[in-house]
Amino acid sequence: MATGFVCGTRRRPKCVQCGGRADLECDWKVPGRKRGTCDAPICSRCTTSPAPEKDLCPDHAAAWQRWKEARSA
């Protein structure tokens, strides 16, 4: 019996917002995660960018907005 591997079958990540091809990952800090960030796949159309080279998924963009509003109150 022969055993083999199939190469090139890796699925491309899809944006959590629109389902399109994701080319970014969420950079929101998440304590306890191995990489330290959310890493949700997002596309360049659906990202919120609070700073250069930083991208947020929709959930964390909303959390960031609430944080900003709380600071200004």
Side-chain angles (χ1 to χ4, degrees):
M1 177 187 252
T3 303
F5 295 94
V6 177
C7 297
T9 60
R10 184 172 182 222
R11 293 182 137 173
R12 293 184 177 172
K14 293 185 178 186
C15 176
V16 295
Q17 178 72 25
C18 70
R21 183 176 178 199
D23 52 350
L24 303 166
E25 292 181 339
C26 180
D27 294 313
W28 187 266
K29 297 289 185 188
V30 178
R33 295 227 24 188
K34 187 175 183 178
R35 289 183 53 185
T37 56
C38 169
D39 294 337
I42 45 180
C43 70
S44 57
R45 292 181 309 266
C46 295
T47 187
T48 296
S49 187
E53 302 295 317
K54 297 294 180 188
D55 298 288
L56 300 177
C57 67
D59 290 342
H60 289 125
W64 178 65
Q65 186 64 37
R66 287 190 303 271
W67 177 83
K68 285 191 330 181
E69 290 169 0
R71 278 191 59 171
S72 65

